[in-house]
Amino acid sequence: DGGITQSPKYLFRKEGQNVTLSCEQNLNHDAMYWYRQDPGQGLRLIYYSQIVNDFQKGDIAEGYSVSREKKESFPLTVTSAQKNPTAFYLCASRWTGSSQPQHFGDGTRLSIL
Amino acid sequence: AQSVSQHNHHVILSEAASLELGCNYSYGGTVNLFWYVQYPGQHLQLLLKYFSGDPLVKGIKGFEAEFIKSKFSFNLRKPSVQWSDTAEYFCAVEYPGNNRKLIWGLGTSLAVNP
């Protein structure tokens, strides 16, 4: 089945550690997105990429980094510079043609120990 | 600034009641509009979308939404809700010239009592 796979489902991090969240899609989508979802705050865009080897900052990029070396993969690293990393992280992808909807993975819940 | 407003943060209904969730956006030009739903423990999925044409669009599971350009609104409706409609509902707007990024509302949490 085509879809978006995020791993792990749950992730725990110690203070000062960097952690990387995986996002893989086999939908042949061009664009990929990372969102952070906090209760009552909706979805906030962290980073997005419309093509391999290119990505742009979203609204809350500080403390995060990404790479897009392959079309199907868009990993997100939560660095120690992110002061409040505990959240639910969602990865999405879409074709970049006109008016295509985004498709979402199941998310990764990150908690600080 | 581009923004999306969902008026109801929490809604509680009984089964068979009618549902209407409000969504307004700030820009008056051509936009693409979406409603997504997130059932408990599941991923976000598309309920329906509006790009052009008939302003009344029908989605999955009996949902529909009406685009009213003069009111900058895209309200979601369902004539008779079921317990299985318990979920969080998000309105999102794609503004032109914005690298096709979506602007999201804060979401509405719907609880349907059996």
Side-chain angles (χ1 to χ4, degrees):
Chain A
D1 283 341
I4 301 172
T5 301
Q6 289 188 243
S7 61
K9 198 174 181 69
Y10 299 96
L11 187 58
F12 299 91
R13 190 191 95 170
K14 292 182 181 179
E15 295 275 359
Q17 276 185 337
N18 294 351
V19 289
T20 297
L21 283 59
S22 170
C23 178
E24 304 276 332
Q25 55 98 359
N26 60 3
L27 299 167
N28 201 32
H29 287 168
D30 304 301
M32 297 187 73
Y33 305 80
W34 274 106
Y35 292 95
R36 172 180 170 138
Q37 186 178 15
D38 296 284
Q41 295 196 49
L43 275 69
R44 293 183 290 168
L45 183 64
I46 304 172
Y47 267 98
Y48 65 104
S49 166
Q50 294 184 293
I51 195 170
V52 174
N53 291 324
D54 189 39
F55 48 82
Q56 287 81 39
K57 292 181 179 180
D59 301 316
I60 56 165
E62 185 175 350
Y64 299 98
S65 66
V66 294
S67 62
R68 187 88 187 277
E69 297 177 1
K70 298 186 295 182
K71 186 175 185 178
E72 59 270 24
S73 178
F74 191 42
L76 172 74
T77 297
V78 184
T79 75
S80 56
Q82 170 48 238
K83 297 306 178 191
N84 185 23
T86 296
F88 190 54
Y89 291 88
L90 287 168
C91 179
S93 69
R94 61 176 286 181
W95 282 293
T96 51
S98 176
S99 309
Q100 295 294 322
Q102 294 183 12
H103 300 256
F104 285 84
D106 288 338
T108 293
R109 188 165 298 280
L110 174 63
S111 301
I112 301 305
L113 294 178
Chain B
Q2 297 166 342
S3 65
V4 177
S5 175
Q6 291 184 238
H7 314 301
N8 319 97
H9 296 297
H10 300 282
V11 173
I12 301 174
L13 295 173
S14 298
E15 277 195 315
S18 64
L19 171 71
E20 180 159 3
L21 301 182
C23 174
N24 285 88
Y25 60 95
S26 61
Y27 177 76
T30 302
V31 294
N32 296 321
L33 301 155
F34 305 84
W35 275 99
Y36 282 83
V37 61
Q38 189 174 31
Y39 297 105
Q42 295 187 30
H43 61 268
L44 270 162
Q45 55 185 285
L46 182 69
L47 260 184
L48 46 77
K49 59 188 179 185
Y50 173 79
F51 299 148
S52 63
D54 188 343
L56 184 62
V57 291
K58 295 192 184 297
I60 61 172
K61 306 188 180 187
F63 285 90
E64 63 179 32
E66 185 174 13
F67 169 54
I68 304 180
K69 191 173 182 179
S70 61
K71 295 185 178 180
F72 306 144
S73 72
F74 189 55
N75 292 355
L76 181 70
R77 300 194 293 245
K78 186 170 184 178
S80 175
V81 294
Q82 300 172 309
W83 176 79
S84 59
D85 293 323
T86 295
E88 188 135 18
Y89 293 81
F90 293 93
C91 180
V93 178
E94 182 182 300
Y95 289 90
N98 200 21
N99 282 332
R100 300 198 180 282
K101 292 187 296 181
L102 290 179
I103 308 297
W104 294 82
L106 296 183
T108 297
S109 176
L110 170 66
V112 180
N113 295 323

